[in-house]
Amino acid sequence: MRKVLISGAGIAGTTLAYWLRRHGFAPTVVERAPAPRTGGHAVDIRGTALGVVDRMGVLDRLRELRTDMRGMSFVNGEGKTLVKVTDHTLTGGLTDSEDVEILRDDLTDTLASAAQDGVEYVYGNWITGISQRTDGVRVAFALGEARDFDLVIGADGQHSAVRSLAFGAEKEFSHYMDTYLAVFTVPNFLDLDRWQTFHMTPGKLAGLYSARKNTEARAVLGFQSPELDFDRHDLEQQRKLIADRFAGQGWEVPRLLHEMASSELYFDSMTQIRMDRFTEGRVALVGDAGYGPSPLSGQGTSLALVGAYVLAGSLAVSGDHRAAFAFYEREMRPFVLKNQALAAMNQKNQTRFRQWKQIQSMRILPYLPFRDRLMKSAMRPVTEAANALALKYY
């Protein structure tokens, strides 16, 4: 039985562990966090990715956990509603689609529950060295002795340690998209009922949406900026950076900043990972580690789910990892490129004029007799990209 080490217990890592075990491999998942990560933003499962979770037998459960948003509002600094729509939301697209919008930790919990039998999980440790040989890989860890594996897979996100060790420095592959995003959990103090509310000022966006059947809410603070230098592991430094950026803002921003001080925090740049290859010897990358499209695309989760399924299937049908990795590259690259292109398209809409234009368009949209066609047309690039790969059976 071939032993595969997966770095990262997120969406890509747990999905890959599930399918590798199904195909007869012995997967080990190492995760730097001391326990499964909580918090984070709502994510979307679309198109081909729906087929992956359906074949895992968890689609019905994910539909039960979906955010089930009814619509969204944009407000001014005094909280007065500028526009209110019920046919789509900023985070999830069309409200009547088959797509599943779900909190990230609800998704990872469900995937990890499905990927328990026959999978070894090691929390609170991480890879510090990778030494490839013709017959395997010797892996060094921050804690404990080195271990031998047949293959190593980096599913460790935008700041992948596996990618740095096997492919090169992060700066060679990361393309910053001019925006930072913070997400954290707060009480549902506005009593939102499956609703999103946003306040937009030049270069900044503050928002709140209800979660888990309105029992809590997730706050969103995003801002445009030149690339910043900060410590990714220093949460207090990050909180101060965000608070300084949003000082003096109206609406509920002061309350959000107050809640942020005692909440877990996700904060990072909107960055796209672009690589000319996803594999190197006996090492491969999956999900954000190899082809993160950035949150601006809305397709990072779907790429991770599909990539994990294809990689596991490729290894299952080939006894040679080199042939399997080559097939994985051929299958995934066109799909990756189509979905990464969505981020560049959405990045163009971040200018002050385009944001103003979007709000004006939303104001008149409910009164247009052909609004359904307009919305479907606006979503067509996402729909086409999300369905650009047909799932095979392995």
Side-chain angles (χ1 to χ4, degrees):
M1 186 180 291
R2 285 185 285 177
K3 298 189 297 181
V4 181
L5 176 64
I6 303 167
S7 177
I11 294 166
T14 51
T15 304
L16 181 62
Y18 172 89
W19 286 109
L20 285 175
R21 189 69 189 95
R22 278 276 299 266
H23 293 309
F25 291 80
T28 294
V29 180
V30 60
E31 166 60 52
R32 182 167 187 148
R37 296 178 187 268
T38 59
H41 47 80
V43 298
D44 300 294
I45 308 171
R46 297 189 174 103
T48 302
L50 288 169
V52 174
V53 293
D54 190 25
R55 293 182 188 184
M56 293 177 71
V58 298
L59 179 55
D60 289 344
R61 175 58 178 159
L62 296 179
R63 291 199 187 282
E64 291 174 3
L65 294 169
R66 69 196 305 175
T67 59
D68 196 28
M69 288 291 147
R70 297 185 300 114
M72 67 175 177
S73 304
F74 279 84
V75 299
N76 64 14
E78 289 70 46
K80 179 182 178 181
T81 299
L82 301 174
V83 62
K84 179 179 180 180
V85 296
T86 57
D87 49 13
H88 69 286
T89 65
L90 191 65
T91 63
L94 298 175
T95 53
D96 64 351
S97 78
E98 291 298 310
D99 303 340
V100 175
E101 183 185 48
I102 183 172
L103 295 180
R104 182 191 179 278
D105 43 358
D106 285 345
L107 174 57
T108 53
D109 284 350
T110 303
L111 295 173
S113 295
Q116 286 296 316
D117 293 342
V119 180
E120 177 191 9
Y121 286 89
V122 180
Y123 285 96
N125 206 350
W126 61 96
I127 298 172
T128 58
I130 295 175
S131 178
Q132 298 200 52
R133 306 187 302 263
T134 56
D135 61 344
V137 187
R138 170 60 62 95
V139 180
F141 297 93
L143 304 172
E145 297 181 353
R147 294 174 60 180
D148 293 318
F149 297 89
D150 295 296
L151 302 169
V152 174
I153 312 297
D156 44 352
Q158 176 176 316
H159 305 291
S160 170
V162 171
R163 187 183 61 230
S164 295
L165 290 169
F167 294 80
E170 181 174 316
K171 64 182 180 181
E172 297 178 31
F173 313 109
S174 63
H175 297 264
Y176 175 57
M177 307 197 80
D178 305 322
T179 305
Y180 284 87
L181 177 68
V183 182
F184 48 97
T185 302
V186 300
N188 185 9
F189 60 85
L190 293 182
D191 293 324
L192 299 175
D193 179 16
R194 294 175 294 143
W195 197 262
Q196 304 181 349
T197 302
F198 296 98
H199 172 54
M200 190 159 52
T201 56
K204 296 184 179 69
L205 176 74
L208 191 70
Y209 57 87
S210 59
R212 299 205 170 108
K213 302 187 185 303
N214 305 324
T215 61
E216 63 183 52
R218 296 289 161 95
V220 178
L221 296 173
F223 60 91
Q224 294 176 299
S225 168
E227 198 161 5
L228 301 172
D229 182 20
F230 63 93
D231 184 346
R232 291 191 298 107
H233 303 293
D234 187 340
L235 294 182
E236 288 308 310
Q237 180 192 28
Q238 295 170 31
R239 290 186 178 104
K240 183 178 186 307
L241 188 158
I242 297 163
D244 289 346
R245 288 279 171 168
F246 282 87
Q249 294 288 296
W251 184 53
E252 299 286 350
V253 171
R255 172 71 185 268
L256 297 181
L257 294 177
H258 173 75
E259 296 290 349
M260 180 183 67
S262 58
S263 177
E264 86 292 335
L265 175 67
Y266 164 87
F267 177 67
D268 212 337
S269 63
M270 290 202 184
T271 294
Q272 193 165 97
I273 301 300
R274 303 174 194 164
M275 305 188 69
D276 58 8
R277 68 190 191 283
F278 308 142
T279 64
E280 176 65 35
R282 289 177 172 268
V283 179
L285 303 174
V286 65
D288 283 357
Y291 35 82
S294 94
L296 281 172
S297 73
Q299 282 295 96
T301 295
S302 292
L303 277 179
L305 289 165
V306 174
Y309 176 86
V310 172
L311 177 55
S314 302
L315 290 166
V317 298
S318 176
D320 179 7
H321 72 276
R322 290 165 294 190
F325 284 173
F327 180 83
Y328 169 60
E329 294 256 9
R330 290 194 302 270
E331 279 286 285
M332 285 301 296
R333 187 162 296 280
F335 188 57
V336 166
L337 293 176
K338 282 182 179 292
N339 284 279
Q340 286 189 332
L342 296 172
M345 180 181 69
N346 290 330
Q347 186 182 21
K348 294 177 182 177
N349 293 326
Q350 299 299 302
T351 67
R352 183 176 181 179
F353 172 72
R354 285 179 180 268
Q355 290 173 341
W356 174 86
K357 185 178 177 181
Q358 285 175 328
I359 289 181
Q360 305 314 310
S361 298
M362 284 188 284
R363 276 176 164 167
I364 65 171
L365 188 62
Y367 306 102
L368 299 177
F370 45 86
R371 61 182 180 275
D372 290 344
R373 279 186 294 162
L374 276 177
M375 286 306 305
K376 288 180 180 177
S377 176
M379 287 297 294
R380 186 174 296 124
V382 177
T383 302
E384 291 178 352
N387 290 278
L389 184 148
L391 283 186
K392 292 178 170 63
Y393 283 94
Y394 298 99

